[in-house]
Amino acid sequence: MWFVSIPLTFLAAFKGAPIYILVLLSYSEEIVKFIFGVPRALSKKWANNIVKEMN
């Protein structure tokens, strides 16, 4: 997910943005992870049963 936050932060720093904007942009990857992660977690496609059924 660094392909979002690092370029955004670099461009903002290059343009002379204040430090608080740079900090916010450095955390922008969390927003991207949330957007892609929540639907994936709610769909339960990531959860696999790796234990043999005992019944």
Side-chain angles (χ1 to χ4, degrees), residues 13-52:
F14 187 71
K15 295 288 185 177
I19 189 69
Y20 60 89
I21 298 294
L22 297 177
V23 171
L24 287 174
L25 288 174
S26 69
Y27 285 107
S28 63
E29 68 186 55
E30 299 299 325
I31 296 168
V32 174
K33 283 195 283 188
F34 180 78
I35 290 170
F36 288 106
V38 168
R40 180 76 172 174
L42 292 176
S43 72
K44 300 190 186 216
K45 289 182 181 178
W46 57 273
N48 293 321
N49 188 1
I50 60 172
V51 179
K52 182 179 175 183

